[in-house]
Amino acid sequence: MDQSPGPPVEDAEQTVRIYGPMLYKLCFVMLANAEDAEDAVQDTMLQYLRRKPAFESAGHEKAWLLTVAGNRCRDMLRFKRRHPQIALEELNASAEEKEDTSALAALMTLPEKFRLVMTLHYVEGYTAEEIAPIIGRTPSAVRMRLQKGRVLLKEAYRKENCDNE
């Protein structure tokens, strides 16, 4: 096993400062649980430190981190499906306003493949062409998921608001 040190501590700290909040948002949306999101981000950063990848650019580094975090979240979701747990009550506590809560609650009801592309596109500002290699699909497939995700989100949001009135 390679015993050489990982990236310098300053580089790792800078990476966490720059990408930590973005990775946390992505993981939280995918996992719908603050503790699991923190674990996924931590696992992502550990993999970053262990692998010591060389990146062509900051964009390449960001895409690598998003891919690793997304894969870790999917692994955690697979585990949860095989080992069912309690429903999530943290949703209301994590949102600052009522509107945020209902929009976030509606987003959380979508299947994972739609939540992921919607978050990358609308929250992180990625284009379909940029999302495609991150999730291993074509840009056309990403656009179709965005289109279907918007329809599903609209229905879920409407249902969420009607149920609460």
Side-chain angles (χ1 to χ4, degrees):
M1 182 168 187
D2 185 4
Q3 293 297 324
S4 63
V9 173
E10 299 82 25
D11 290 350
E13 288 174 354
Q14 182 177 2
T15 300
V16 170
R17 260 192 317 279
I18 293 171
Y19 300 112
M22 172 195 61
L23 293 172
Y24 177 79
K25 279 190 284 185
L26 174 72
C27 293
F28 183 77
V29 167
M30 288 183 72
L31 298 169
N33 179 291
E35 289 83 12
D36 288 347
E38 290 170 3
D39 288 346
V41 171
Q42 207 168 42
D43 291 347
T44 300
M45 295 313 298
L46 281 172
Q47 192 165 355
Y48 173 80
L49 291 170
R50 285 187 186 128
R51 295 239 173 131
K52 303 173 249 171
F55 299 107
E56 300 166 5
S57 65
H60 182 226
E61 181 178 31
K62 184 178 180 180
W64 186 89
L65 288 166
L66 284 168
T67 301
V68 170
N71 288 341
R72 181 64 187 126
C73 290
R74 278 189 211 90
D75 290 344
M76 293 171 81
L77 288 169
R78 240 181 263 120
F79 179 84
K80 281 184 173 188
R81 275 193 296 271
R82 291 181 183 137
H83 306 89
Q85 297 180 5
I86 312 169
L88 307 166
E89 284 85 37
E90 289 187 18
L91 194 54
N92 291 334
S94 67
E96 295 177 11
E97 298 177 12
K98 168 79 172 95
E99 296 79 34
D100 292 343
T101 303
S102 57
L104 188 56
L107 181 62
M108 295 303 196
T109 65
L110 299 183
E112 183 265 330
K113 67 183 183 179
F114 299 112
R115 279 195 322 253
L116 176 59
V117 295
M118 301 273 296
T119 302
L120 289 174
H121 183 71
Y122 291 108
V123 177
E124 297 303 328
Y126 278 83
T127 64
E129 288 72 21
E130 293 168 327
I131 296 170
I134 293 172
I135 67 167
R137 299 283 186 243
T138 63
S140 176
V142 171
R143 285 189 287 276
M144 290 302 293
R145 285 186 183 184
L146 284 169
Q147 181 181 10
K148 177 137 183 163
R150 284 189 291 267
V151 170
L152 292 173
L153 184 61
K154 185 177 179 180
E155 291 170 5
Y157 187 75
R158 214 177 260 148
K159 182 179 178 191
E160 180 75 23
N161 286 331
C162 290
D163 289 348
N164 289 336
E165 290 178 357

